[in-house]
Amino acid sequence: KGEKPGRKGLFSSEKTTQEFFINTDDLEAARQGVSSYENHALIPHEAYQALYAAGEAQKVFAGYKVHILSNGQVISDV
């Protein structure tokens, strides 16, 4: 679906990453060699904080790996 170019800097670098669209409702993906897929959610910190405070975060994001966007940084494994 797309490609994010890599970056090289003085103190860090990132590899080029590719993004693929996989229609998970179609068995054709298995024929194309897809072995697994994951559901991810990228949400702003304020929205996640409001859902967490209301006790709704677990229910809303069940089955998803949550990534939080805070101050231009992505925080994973919450």
Side-chain angles (χ1 to χ4, degrees):
K1 182 176 177 179
E3 181 175 278
K4 179 181 172 186
R7 297 186 323 178
K8 291 186 179 183
L10 187 57
F11 295 105
S12 65
S13 63
E14 293 179 359
K15 294 181 179 181
T16 300
T17 57
Q18 295 179 341
E19 179 180 322
F20 297 93
F21 172 75
I22 300 171
N23 184 359
T24 59
D25 297 329
D26 188 4
L27 292 178
E28 184 64 27
R31 290 188 207 116
Q32 293 176 0
V34 174
S35 57
S36 68
Y37 62 92
E38 298 175 341
N39 293 319
H40 292 258
L42 176 64
I43 62 169
H45 179 260
E46 295 81 10
Y48 184 80
Q49 188 175 24
L51 286 169
Y52 185 83
E56 298 289 320
Q58 287 285 8
K59 183 170 61 170
V60 171
F61 299 111
Y64 285 83
K65 183 171 181 179
V66 177
H67 306 279
I68 298 173
L69 186 59
S70 178
N71 295 325
Q73 300 290 323
V74 177
I75 303 167
S76 299
D77 299 324
V78 290

